[in-house]
Amino acid sequence: RAAAAAAAATKDAVDANGEVGELEVGESPGPIEPDGTHNILVTGPPFSHAAAAAAALAKKYQVAVLDVDECVEAASEAFSDVGDAVRKDLGLPPLPGQLEHAAAIAEEKSADMREAEADSEVSGKDSEGEGGSEKGESAGDGKLTEETLTAVLAAEIAGRYAHGFLVDGLACENAAPALVARALASALGLAKADPAPAVPPEDAGDDWVAPEEEEGAFVLRGGKRLLVVSLAVEDVAAGKREKAEADALNAAAEAAAAALHAEAHGEDFAAAAATSSPAAEEAEVVAEEASEAPNAAKGSEAEDASEAEAPEEPSYTYLCAAEAAAHRALVEEVLPIFGKLGAPDNHAGVYVIDTSALASVEDVMEAGRAAGMPKAPNPPEWVPPPETLEIVTRPSVRQPRKPVTHFEILTPSKQPKWPGADKAPTPETPEEEGAEEGAEEKEEKDATKDAEVDDAEADATPGEMLSQSRWTVPANGAVQVVVRFRSDDVGVFHEELAFEIVGGQRGVQIGARGTCDYPKISDNYRNVYYRKTKVRPASANVYHQYVISRTPSVPGKFEFGPLLCDKAVPPVPPAWKEGDVDAEGNPVAEPTPGSHHPKENIEKLRITNSGLFDCTVSFAVKLNQDEEGKDVGSPGVFTLDPPEMKLKVDETQELIVTAYPKGAGPQEAVIVASVVDNPTDVEFPLSCVGVPPAVILDIDDDTGIAFERLLCGSREAKTFTVKNTCLLPIKWTLELPDNLPSEFTVSHTEGELAAAGEQQITVGFSAVEKNVFETTLKLKVFDTEQLLGVHQEKAIKVTAEAYKIEVVLKYPGEEADASGVDFGLIKVVEDNLKQFSFTNTGKYQVGYKFGIRTASTRELFTITPSEGEVEPGQSVTIDLHFNKNKTLKHEVMLKSNTDITLAISEPTTGVKHEKFPIRVSLRAVFTKYSILPARGMNFGPLIYNTTSNPRTFEISNIGEFPFEFNLFNYGGKGTEETDEDGNAMPTPRKAANGDKLELGNFTVSPAVSTIAPGESTVVEVSFRAENQRNYVELAGIDITDRDPADQPLGIPYEIAGESCIPGINCEDFANIFEEHKVITALDPFSYESNVFAKRERVFSFGPVTAQTAEEAAKADAAGGGGAGEGSQGRR
C-alpha cells in the first residue's frame, strides 16, 4: 500500500510537472538543499572488489540495498497506475480482477473524459515513436521505458528507501544500464542546472580570471544527493586476481579430493599424502602469490628486482577482458549523465577509484575517504573516545581598561626612608613570598615573576629605576614608586593607573595626566595677517590680502598683489639717535620700522608665541620649486626684518616683509619660520606679481587709423581704444604732429588708466576739398609716478582721402537734353521696354541702386539691373520694362512721374552720395467701341418659308488703336475657359461660310473684321422663316484689347424673329369664349346657362322656354324686320 501510494503521488507529480525521467534545465526560485540521506550507486568491472565494496558501503552508511529487478517485479504485481505501466511495457497479462475493475472505472468516466484520454494516448504513442531512442523501447516489447522505470524507482524511494539506499550495479533484466542511470537520477528529483561560477582561490591575485565553462556543461540539483562510486581495475591486475581465484579453487578441489581419498585409506596415508602431495604445495604457493600480487603491483624497486630474479611464470589469458571492456564503454556513456565531475554544487557526486593496487576492500574504503566521500554516520552503539578535562575556578571579572601607553611606573632600586616606619621597607625575597603564597599553581607562577623582579633588583646599581609591576609590601610598610610620563605625540593625555591586591576583591585606580608639546608659534591666519578675505575679488587686483583657501589640503596665501617691476629699493636711512634734529633744528621723532619703503611694497605680519615655553624663531625665504626641483622665481624679491625673534609665552612681535619683484610675472615664495626644539617648520606662503606698464590698441599697427576715402562735404570719426593690460594704474600721453591738418580732430591727448581700464579716443576727419592725407600720432605710456620713464611707445598712422562722385545720365530719345523716359501712347495689354544709361566719370568706383517709392508704380515697372557698381570711366545700360508680366488691368497715365529714383553711393562705406529722380511719362489705354442699335434687333412676324430683307447694326471704333471684332454663337460657346484671375475667356471665333456666321435661322455678315480708329463697320443680318415658331439667337461680339472688365466672355447681342402660318385659333377656348364661362364637363343634374364644356366640346345655352310656331310668328311680327336680323345674328 505504501508503494502504491508513493506511486500515485509520483504520478500526480508527473501529471503536474511533466514527464518523469527527463533531465531538463529549468528555472527555480533558488538552490535546493539535499535532505541529508545517503543514496549510493556502485559500479565496477569484474575483480575490482565491487561486490565487497558495495556491502561495506551499505554497512558503513547504514542504508539498505535496492534491487532494481526486485522493485520492477513488485510493481508488476501491484494494483496501481505504475503496475499497469510496468505490465504494459513488459507485455504481461493483467492481474486477476483487474479487467472488471478497469471496466467499472471506465463506466464512471464521462464521454468527454474518454475522448480526452484517447487523444492523450494517441499523442503519447506518437511521442514514444519519435523519441524511442531516448526513452527506451516502445510499450509491450518486453523492455521498460524510462518514464515507467522512473515511476517505479520514485515510488520505492519515497516508501521503503526514504532513508537512503545502495544500488549495486546498473544491471537490469528489463532496461539498459544507461536508462537505469537516468531513471535513478530522475527518481531522486535531480534536474539539470547551470554550474555555479568558479570561486577564486585564497592566494588569487587581482589578475585572476575565472575559467570558461565548457559548452553544454551542467550539474544536477535536487532534494536528495546521489553518490556514484565507479571502481576501475587494469586488465593485468584483474587477470592476476582471476588466476589466483582459479588456482585457489583448483587447490581446494584437489584438497577435497585428497581428503575423500584419505578417508577411504586411513589417516596415515592422508597425512603422508597431504605432506607429499604436489597439489597441496602448489595450493600454498598460489595462496601466497595471490596475497602478494597486490603488493607487487605497487611498483617498489626491491620487489621489481625480486620478480626479475624469480623464474618466469607461464602466460595467462584474462577471461573477462571483453566484459571489462564493455564496462569501460558503459562508464564512458553513463558518467556524463551525472553532470560536471568535481563541481562543488553538483548533487550527483562521482568518485572514480582505481583498485588495481588495492589488495582488500578496506583499502578501497580508505581510498574513498581520501577521495572526499561524505563522512558516514556513527553507528547506534558508537561511544566517543575518552577525554581528560580540567575544572578551573573562574577568577573575578576584571573590568576592561584602556591601555596605559604614555605613563610608566618605575621602582627605585634603593627605597627612601618611609616616614611611618623605623626602617626603609624593602621588597621581600622570593623564598618568603613563595612561603606566604602557598603551593597553589597560580601563586607559584606569581612567585616566579616576583623572584625574577628580585633578581633584577639584586643586580641593579644604587639609584637605578627598575621596571616592575608586582611588589611585596610588608605589613605596616610601603614601597615607593615613580610615575614617568613620556609621549611621542603632542597632546594632553589622561590615563588611569590600576593597582590590585592578590586575593583582593577590588582595585585602586589613580588618574595620571600629562601634557606634551613643542615650542611653537601661531600659524592661525586670523592672528598673523591684518587683512584677509574668504573669496578672491572678481577684479584682478588683490591688494595686500591673505586669501583663505577653500581646499583643506591647499594652504592659503598672502598676496601683495601687482607691484611695479624693476623698481629700485630705497636706501636704508641712517640709524636714529636720541637728540637728532632736522634742517630747521626741530627734534626728529624715532621713525617707524620700515617707514622708508613705499606702502605698496611693505607688509607686517604678527608673530605670536602660542606655545607653553619661551621660544627662539628664525626666519628665511624659500623659493618654490618646479617638478624638476629648480627654483621658481628670482631670489631677493622678498626680504624679512628681523631675521630672528625671541618670544616669551603669549608674546607678539611684528615681522616686516618687503617685496620688490624683478621682471614681469608672478613671484612666489614661502617664509619658513624655524622654532628651536620644534622639528616642524611653520610656512607662510607669499606672492606678488611683477607688472610693467603696458597698453594695447584695438587697431592694426600697420594700418593704423585709415579713413580711406570720404566724399567731399562729409565727416567721419574713427574711435580706437587704449586698454591697460597690466594690473597697475598707468599714465599715457598722445603727441600730435605740429603740421597736423585742420581736417583732423582728436578727442583726448592724455590721461590715466586704472588697472584693466580703457580709454576711447576719437579721431575725426572732415572732407572739404579733394586731397590725400597721411600723418602719425605717438602714444607714450608711463607709470603713475613716472619713476622709470617711458615704458612703452606706439606710433599710430592716420590716413584719409577726400574725393567727389561724378556721374552722367543719358536718357533715350533724339534730344540730347532729354530729362526722362517717355513711353508715349501704348496699349494696356502690351509690354514696352525703354533703355537709358549712366556713366561714372569720377575717380573711384561708385555704387547705384534704383528704388520705387509707391506700390502702384512698382507693379508697373521692372528695372534690370536694379543695383550694382560701376568702375571709373565705365557705363551701364538700364532696362526699364513697363507691364513686363502683362498683368495690368486698367488704364494708366503718367506725366513726368518721379517715383523711380537712382541712388548713387560710395561702395566702400555704403554712404549714399546723391539721389536722382527718373522722370517717366506714358499713357496706356484700352480699345473703345460702340454698337448701334445697342439692344439687339427683332425681325417681327414673317410668313413661313420666306427670307426677310437684310437688317443691319453698326460697330464703331471710338478709341485710339485699331481693333478686330469677331462674332460668334454666344449661346453655344460650350465649356468656358478662364484666365489667370479666374475670369471666363471668350469663345474662339467660329465663322461659317468664310466671312459669314450662321446662328440658327439667322445669317450674320461679316463675322470678322478690323476697324481703324474713328471708323465703323455695318453688319447685315437676314432671317429665314420656317414652320410656325419664334426664333431667338444670342450672338457674341469679341473686340480685341478692350477693357477685360467689359463683358469678359464677349458682348451679347440678341437677334429675334417670328415665323407665322395664316389661320384661326380653334383651341384657345379661353379667348374664343372670353365673355362666357368655360367648364370641364356638363353636369347632367345641374344645367348652367351660356357655358362651354371642354369634354363635350359643346356650348350650352341652358334651359330655354319653349314657344309654339304661332307665338314665334307673333314675336317675330312684333319685333319687326330688325328683330329678325338680330335673331339671325344670335343664331
Side-chain angles (χ1 to χ4, degrees):
R1 292 179 181 177
T10 303
K11 183 178 184 304
D12 294 339
V14 170
D15 295 338
N17 301 324
E19 187 176 359
V20 175
E22 296 182 358
L23 301 180
E24 297 181 353
V25 179
E27 297 182 358
S28 59
I32 302 174
E33 295 299 330
D35 58 0
T37 60
H38 296 285
N39 308 289
I40 307 170
L41 169 63
V42 180
T43 178
F47 301 102
S48 62
H49 306 302
L57 290 173
K59 180 179 180 181
K60 175 181 178 181
Y61 288 97
Q62 305 175 22
V63 294
V65 178
L66 187 150
D67 189 344
V68 177
D69 291 334
E70 188 269 336
C71 294
V72 173
E73 183 180 359
S76 65
E77 297 175 356
F79 280 97
S80 64
D81 292 342
V82 177
D84 294 343
V86 171
R87 287 187 291 273
K88 180 180 178 181
D89 290 351
L90 299 182
L92 299 176
L95 297 177
Q98 186 177 10
L99 294 177
E100 293 78 0
H101 179 69
I105 295 176
E107 290 178 359
E108 295 177 358
K109 294 182 179 179
S110 64
D112 295 338
M113 292 298 294
R114 289 198 301 273
E115 184 177 353
E117 288 181 358
D119 295 340
S120 175
E121 264 185 38
V122 172
S123 62
K125 292 179 180 179
D126 294 341
S127 62
E128 289 175 3
E130 295 175 359
S133 59
E134 296 182 0
K135 299 297 180 180
E137 302 296 335
S138 61
D141 61 353
K143 295 293 184 180
L144 293 175
T145 62
E146 184 177 332
E147 177 183 0
T148 303
L149 184 56
T150 301
V152 172
L153 295 178
E156 294 292 341
I157 293 172
R160 292 187 294 170
Y161 302 99
H163 299 291
F165 61 85
L166 184 141
V167 178
D168 186 4
L170 295 172
C172 180
E173 294 180 0
N174 302 305
L179 187 144
V180 174
R182 288 194 299 270
L184 183 61
S186 299
L188 289 173
L190 298 178
K192 288 183 179 180
D194 293 332
V199 179
E202 296 180 356
D203 56 348
D206 296 337
D207 57 346
W208 182 84
V209 178
E212 296 184 359
E213 291 289 349
E214 297 181 1
E215 184 178 359
F218 66 92
V219 295
L220 297 182
R221 294 179 187 164
K224 291 182 177 295
R225 188 182 296 275
L226 176 64
L227 305 181
V228 181
V229 180
S230 178
L231 303 180
V233 64
E234 296 179 357
D235 288 352
V236 176
K240 291 182 178 181
R241 293 174 184 172
E242 183 183 40
K243 182 177 180 301
E245 182 179 352
D247 293 344
L249 292 176
N250 293 333
E254 291 180 0
L260 293 175
H261 190 275
E263 183 179 356
H265 294 80
E267 295 180 359
D268 296 336
F269 178 80
T275 304
S276 59
S277 174
E281 295 178 358
E282 185 177 355
E284 293 179 0
V285 172
V286 170
E288 292 178 0
E289 289 178 356
S291 61
E292 293 176 358
N295 296 329
K298 295 181 181 179
S300 65
E301 297 180 358
E303 292 174 351
D304 291 343
S306 63
E307 288 179 0
E309 295 176 358
E312 294 184 359
E313 296 181 359
S315 60
Y316 178 79
T317 302
Y318 182 36
L319 301 180
C320 297
E323 187 178 353
H327 178 78
R328 283 191 288 270
L330 175 64
V331 169
E332 293 179 358
E333 178 186 3
V334 169
L335 290 188
I337 296 174
F338 303 109
K340 181 180 178 181
L341 302 182
D345 57 335
N346 193 353
H347 291 174
V350 178
Y351 302 92
V352 180
I353 302 174
D354 188 1
T355 63
S356 300
L358 303 179
S360 62
V361 69
E362 288 77 10
D363 296 338
V364 174
M365 300 297 289
E366 183 63 30
R369 284 192 295 271
M373 290 182 64
K375 184 179 179 182
N378 295 320
E381 66 277 4
W382 180 79
V383 177
E387 296 182 8
T388 302
L389 303 177
E390 180 181 2
I391 299 176
V392 179
T393 303
R394 181 186 297 274
S396 60
V397 178
R398 176 180 295 172
Q399 297 298 328
R401 296 187 300 108
K402 293 182 179 179
V404 178
T405 57
H406 297 89
F407 297 93
E408 183 181 3
I409 301 176
L410 302 175
T411 304
S413 59
K414 184 177 181 181
Q415 291 286 323
K417 184 177 181 180
W418 182 46
D422 295 338
K423 59 180 180 178
T426 56
E428 295 183 3
T429 60
E431 292 79 4
E432 296 173 348
E433 183 179 358
E436 292 177 357
E437 291 182 354
E440 295 182 0
E441 182 179 355
K442 183 175 181 300
E443 294 178 353
E444 289 178 357
K445 293 180 181 179
D446 294 340
T448 303
K449 292 182 180 179
D450 293 340
E452 292 175 357
V453 173
D454 292 341
D455 293 341
E457 292 180 356
D459 297 337
T461 58
E464 183 180 1
M465 294 293 179
L466 303 177
S467 297
Q468 64 182 87
S469 59
R470 300 179 67 89
W471 302 271
T472 300
V473 182
N476 298 322
V479 175
Q480 186 185 61
V481 296
V482 177
V483 179
R484 181 168 65 184
F485 170 66
R486 181 178 180 180
S487 175
D488 295 332
D489 301 321
V490 174
V492 178
F493 306 95
H494 184 278
E495 297 175 350
E496 298 290 336
L497 304 178
F499 296 87
E500 295 179 347
I501 300 174
V502 176
Q505 296 298 324
R506 65 184 183 87
V508 178
Q509 291 186 349
I510 299 176
R513 179 185 179 90
T515 303
C516 182
D517 202 354
Y518 294 114
K520 61 182 179 181
I521 60 175
S522 174
D523 59 352
N524 191 332
Y525 67 88
R526 297 181 179 85
N527 178 73
V528 177
Y529 304 100
Y530 286 94
R531 300 176 62 191
K532 44 263 181 186
T533 178
K534 292 183 178 180
V535 181
R536 177 179 292 275
S539 63
N541 292 335
V542 179
Y543 183 75
H544 286 247
Q545 283 186 333
Y546 175 80
V547 180
I548 302 171
S549 174
R550 293 185 176 183
T551 306
S553 60
V554 179
K557 183 192 304 180
F558 178 81
E559 299 186 14
F560 277 89
L563 300 175
L564 184 64
C565 63
D566 299 325
K567 184 178 180 180
V569 180
V572 180
W576 178 83
K577 297 179 182 178
E578 186 75 28
D580 286 348
V581 294
D582 56 10
E584 298 178 357
N586 297 322
V588 178
E590 182 179 3
T592 304
S595 59
H596 61 287
H597 293 283
K599 63 178 181 179
E600 64 268 14
N601 297 94
I602 186 173
E603 183 62 31
K604 296 179 180 180
L605 308 183
R606 291 191 293 260
I607 307 300
T608 301
N609 182 355
S610 60
L612 304 176
F613 318 100
D614 296 345
C615 64
T616 300
V617 188
S618 59
F619 302 96
V621 177
K622 181 181 71 173
L623 297 178
N624 292 337
Q625 295 182 342
D626 56 13
E627 297 178 356
E628 299 179 357
K630 297 181 180 179
D631 293 340
V632 178
S634 303
V637 174
F638 301 97
T639 58
L640 307 175
D641 184 35
E644 184 177 301
M645 292 182 184
K646 292 185 177 180
L647 300 173
K648 301 292 185 181
V649 176
D650 295 333
E651 181 183 0
T652 300
Q653 296 183 18
E654 288 186 341
L655 176 67
I656 298 175
V657 184
T658 60
Y660 290 91
K662 299 175 182 179
Q667 305 284 337
E668 296 185 356
V670 176
I671 299 176
V672 180
S674 301
V675 182
V676 178
D677 295 334
N678 191 330
T680 303
D681 296 335
V682 181
E683 295 185 350
F684 303 101
L686 301 172
S687 73
C688 68
V689 181
V691 177
V695 298
I696 59 172
L697 306 178
D698 60 351
I699 57 176
D700 185 68
D701 294 339
D702 297 333
T703 305
I705 302 174
F707 288 95
E708 296 181 354
R709 57 182 182 271
L710 192 64
L711 293 173
C712 292
S714 302
R715 175 178 175 80
E716 186 179 2
K718 295 278 187 178
T719 301
F720 68 94
T721 303
V722 180
K723 183 176 181 180
N724 182 7
T725 58
C726 67
L727 302 176
L728 290 175
I730 58 101
K731 182 180 290 186
W732 63 275
T733 61
L734 186 63
E735 293 184 358
L736 307 180
D738 297 336
N739 58 349
L740 182 68
S742 59
E743 285 83 355
F744 293 96
T745 58
V746 182
S747 60
H748 301 81
T749 57
E750 63 179 358
E752 287 190 8
L753 288 178
E758 296 181 356
Q759 176 65 57
Q760 290 186 342
I761 302 175
T762 303
V763 179
F765 171 66
S766 300
V768 181
E769 296 293 337
K770 294 175 60 176
N771 200 354
V772 178
F773 304 92
E774 184 173 351
T775 186
T776 303
L777 310 178
K778 288 186 178 180
L779 179 67
K780 296 182 179 180
V781 181
F782 311 86
D783 59 84
T784 54
E785 299 177 3
Q786 298 186 4
L787 298 176
L788 304 179
V790 179
H791 285 271
Q792 188 179 10
E793 184 174 343
K794 283 182 174 291
I796 303 173
K797 182 180 178 181
V798 182
T799 58
E801 180 182 359
Y803 78 105
K804 294 182 179 179
I805 291 179
E806 299 172 352
V807 296
V808 176
L809 281 170
K810 184 177 181 180
Y811 295 104
E814 298 179 357
E815 300 84 0
D817 58 347
S819 61
V821 181
D822 188 1
F823 284 87
L825 179 64
I826 57 178
K827 291 183 179 181
V828 174
V829 296
E830 295 179 352
D831 62 331
N832 202 300
L833 175 66
K834 293 290 184 181
Q835 293 183 334
F836 65 94
S837 65
F838 73 91
T839 305
N840 180 9
T841 60
K843 181 180 178 181
Y844 296 102
Q845 182 187 50
V846 297
Y848 68 91
K849 184 176 182 180
F850 287 94
I852 303 177
R853 286 197 298 266
T854 62
S856 59
T857 306
R858 282 195 292 271
E859 293 178 355
L860 298 177
F861 296 99
T862 302
I863 303 174
T864 308
S866 61
E867 59 181 327
E869 297 177 354
V870 183
E871 299 295 332
Q874 300 293 326
S875 299
V876 62
T877 300
I878 305 301
D879 293 341
L880 183 60
H881 214 137
F882 171 76
N883 195 20
K884 183 177 182 179
N885 298 325
K886 298 182 181 181
T887 58
L888 186 62
K889 298 185 182 302
H890 58 86
E891 294 183 346
V892 176
M893 180 176 179
L894 300 177
K895 187 174 182 179
S896 298
N897 182 276
T898 58
D899 287 348
I900 300 176
T901 58
L902 171 62
I904 305 299
S905 62
E906 206 286 323
T908 303
T909 60
V911 178
K912 293 182 179 179
H913 170 62
E914 191 174 358
K915 181 182 283 189
F916 303 96
I918 307 299
R919 301 181 184 276
V920 180
S921 300
L922 63 86
R923 189 162 67 91
V925 296
F926 293 112
T927 58
K928 296 179 176 57
Y929 65 93
S930 68
I931 301 175
L932 293 176
R935 298 182 179 272
M937 64 173 57
N938 193 334
F939 283 87
L942 185 66
I943 297 175
Y944 77 104
N945 293 334
T946 61
T947 301
S948 69
N949 294 325
R951 301 189 67 177
T952 63
F953 65 92
E954 187 180 52
I955 302 175
S956 302
N957 186 346
I958 60 176
E960 299 179 73
F961 292 99
F963 64 78
E964 180 181 347
F965 73 86
N966 175 30
L967 278 78
F968 59 92
N969 186 357
Y970 197 91
K973 55 185 178 295
T975 304
E976 298 179 355
E977 298 181 0
T978 58
D979 57 11
E980 294 178 356
D981 297 333
N983 299 321
M985 299 291 291
T987 304
R989 306 169 185 172
K990 294 182 181 179
N993 299 325
D995 201 22
K996 295 182 179 180
L997 176 64
E998 297 292 339
L999 292 175
N1001 287 44
F1002 300 97
T1003 302
V1004 183
S1005 176
V1008 178
S1009 181
T1010 301
I1011 306 175
E1015 296 182 358
S1016 60
T1017 297
V1018 176
V1019 180
E1020 294 183 352
V1021 182
S1022 60
F1023 172 54
R1024 183 176 66 255
E1026 294 179 355
N1027 301 322
Q1028 183 177 352
R1029 55 168 291 187
N1030 291 327
Y1031 292 90
V1032 178
E1033 297 292 342
L1034 191 62
I1037 305 173
D1038 180 27
I1039 297 176
T1040 60
D1041 300 336
R1042 73 182 188 280
D1043 188 352
D1046 179 16
Q1047 300 293 342
L1049 300 180
I1051 304 166
Y1053 197 81
E1054 185 180 78
I1055 304 173
E1058 182 180 3
S1059 177
C1060 300
I1061 299 176
I1064 62 174
N1065 188 357
C1066 298
E1067 299 296 330
D1068 190 1
F1069 301 117
N1071 290 327
I1072 296 173
F1073 302 98
E1074 61 180 351
E1075 296 180 359
H1076 300 86
K1077 184 177 180 181
V1078 179
I1079 62 176
T1080 303
L1082 295 175
D1083 187 0
F1085 301 101
S1086 176
Y1087 294 98
E1088 296 184 50
S1089 299
N1090 299 324
V1091 295
F1092 178 79
K1094 292 181 179 180
R1095 188 174 63 185
E1096 290 84 359
R1097 300 179 68 87
V1098 169
F1099 182 83
S1100 174
F1101 286 93
V1104 179
T1105 303
Q1107 291 181 354
T1108 63
E1110 294 178 357
E1111 291 177 351
K1114 290 179 180 181
D1116 291 339
E1125 293 177 358
S1127 301
Q1128 183 67 30
R1130 283 192 294 273
R1131 290 191 294 270

